[in-house]
Amino acid sequence: MALNIEMPKDIRIRIASKAKARRLFLNISQKELADRSGVSLGSIKRFESNGQISLSSLLELAFTSYGQ
């Protein structure tokens, strides 16, 4: 039985990729997401490029209403 073990960096990149895809699907700019969520634009750019983000900022993004 083979185990599929992902490294933390791979998981971060996958989460960031899905978040970016959702933002783009909804046609929301990074700046608009920053304004809506209270997360800095720099943090959003860093998250989408390499998956690095603080837990606090990740939670702010997760609870931001993308659709409103």
Side-chain angles (χ1 to χ4, degrees):
M1 179 167 85
L3 292 177
N4 258 348
I5 299 175
E6 286 187 86
M7 300 304 293
K9 180 180 179 183
D10 299 326
I11 295 168
R12 287 193 325 257
I13 296 295
R14 187 164 36 92
I15 291 169
S17 177
K18 288 183 178 192
K20 181 178 181 178
R22 176 73 174 157
R23 178 183 62 76
L24 293 173
F25 174 77
L26 294 170
N27 199 29
I28 298 171
S29 69
Q30 288 178 330
K31 173 77 168 102
E32 185 176 352
L33 180 58
D35 292 342
R36 289 184 185 193
S37 66
V39 175
S40 73
L41 179 58
S43 290
I44 291 171
K45 287 181 178 185
R46 186 172 48 256
F47 176 51
E48 289 187 358
S49 70
N50 64 24
Q52 293 184 345
I53 192 167
S54 71
L55 177 58
S56 176
S57 292
L58 181 60
L59 291 172
E60 290 294 336
L61 292 176
F63 285 94
T64 295
S65 177
Y66 283 86
Q68 295 181 3

